[in-house]
Amino acid sequence: MTNTELPFRATTEQACDWLALQTGTPWTLARLIEHGLTPFVWLDYDANMPELFDNATGGYPAPIFFAADTQRLAAGSEDVLITITKDVYSIVIQLKPPGIRRALHELRFLKKAVQQLADQLKRAALPPVVKLAQESREGIPKEQVMTAFAGLVNINLEQALASGGGIFGDEGARIKGSGKKGKNKTLWNPVTLALGLHDVHRVPMSHLKRAFVSHNFLEPWSANWQQTLALLDA
């Protein structure tokens, strides 16, 4: 199977079969979710839930990203239950109980996300390149830290970055010396930061994996992230 044979919105079976060919290992729905892929279901317009659709009367693909919903799928549920999703404008919305139920066969995965995961896994399998001196000077600025991780924690992340407390004690995830030219020049190692958020603030590893898949500016750290996960058997 080639890239062109992977549909724009692939079924679970199609995504698993394609990844199995790319990686040489078997894939399941649980493993897709484990690696941070976001499943979608198509929602036809429903007049009982106008807040989701606005003028999108033809419907739209709704993402399933809430931890309880994805964990239920990964655990082997017999159907899909969505309690929190995003509307047609990508604004997070909590659905009225009991939420939305769909059949498992309605799940879809975006072609681009599946291909990006395959590329990351292939890069992670390559022999590591030693760039210690360079990596010690590189990181991401506060704005990118907030974009990637602020929505995953129940703390004021911006304040935590500024104070250097808790998991950011000593240098922590900060790149040593990066703030000498001013606080707005401070850089952060996203892999170290992600591990701290998991260890101290119990951010689920699946959410952190999804962050590294979702943000292009984290791409330079993907190999290091995957190697770290392998070492932790996470």
Side-chain angles (χ1 to χ4, degrees):
M1 183 181 291
T2 63
N3 286 358
T4 57
E5 292 174 326
L6 187 64
F8 177 70
R9 294 193 183 98
T11 65
T12 302
E13 182 179 5
Q14 289 169 333
C16 288
D17 288 348
W18 189 85
L19 282 170
L21 287 175
Q22 302 300 312
T23 64
T25 57
W27 284 79
T28 61
L29 174 58
R31 192 178 178 196
L32 295 177
I33 292 172
E34 219 173 80
H35 279 75
L37 289 184
T38 300
F40 292 77
V41 294
W42 183 268
L43 297 182
D44 290 322
Y45 182 82
D46 187 340
N48 294 318
M49 295 184 289
E51 68 277 8
L52 287 178
F53 300 91
D54 193 30
N55 293 323
T57 54
Y60 77 101
I64 306 167
F65 60 89
F66 183 53
D69 297 342
T70 57
Q71 288 169 4
R72 182 176 180 272
L73 287 174
S77 62
E78 295 182 352
D79 63 358
V80 179
L81 174 62
I82 312 173
T83 59
I84 294 179
T85 188
K86 294 181 180 180
D87 66 12
V88 71
Y89 298 114
S90 294
I91 297 173
V92 176
I93 287 187
Q94 183 165 3
L95 302 173
K96 297 176 182 178
I100 295 174
R101 288 187 181 272
R102 290 293 185 270
L104 285 176
H105 68 78
E106 296 183 63
L107 288 174
R108 295 294 184 272
F109 293 87
L110 293 182
K111 174 181 179 179
K112 181 179 179 180
V114 176
Q115 291 176 337
Q116 285 178 340
L117 174 58
D119 290 341
Q120 289 176 357
L121 293 173
K122 289 175 182 177
R123 283 194 296 271
L126 295 174
V129 178
V130 178
K131 293 183 179 179
L132 297 181
Q134 181 180 358
E135 287 180 357
S136 67
R137 297 192 301 270
E138 294 180 348
I140 60 175
K142 183 181 73 174
E143 292 73 16
Q144 292 182 345
V145 171
M146 297 298 293
T147 298
F149 302 114
L152 306 180
V153 294
N154 294 322
I155 63 171
N156 186 325
L157 184 56
E158 185 171 12
Q159 183 179 343
L161 294 174
S163 67
I167 63 172
F168 313 108
D170 301 321
E171 287 298 330
R174 289 177 294 187
I175 302 301
K176 187 175 182 179
S178 62
K180 288 182 178 179
K181 296 182 180 179
K183 287 186 177 181
N184 61 337
K185 300 295 184 180
T186 302
L187 299 176
W188 307 82
N189 183 306
V191 174
T192 305
L193 184 62
L195 293 176
L197 294 175
H198 173 70
D199 291 341
V200 178
H201 294 285
R202 299 295 184 265
V203 176
M205 195 62 80
S206 60
H207 293 192
L208 295 166
K209 290 175 181 177
R210 188 174 296 118
F212 276 85
V213 172
S214 303
H215 301 289
N216 291 334
F217 55 79
L218 294 180
E219 182 66 23
W221 287 271
S222 292
N224 184 221
W225 173 243
Q226 293 297 332
Q227 290 167 357
T228 301
L229 292 178
L231 289 172
L232 296 174
D233 194 24

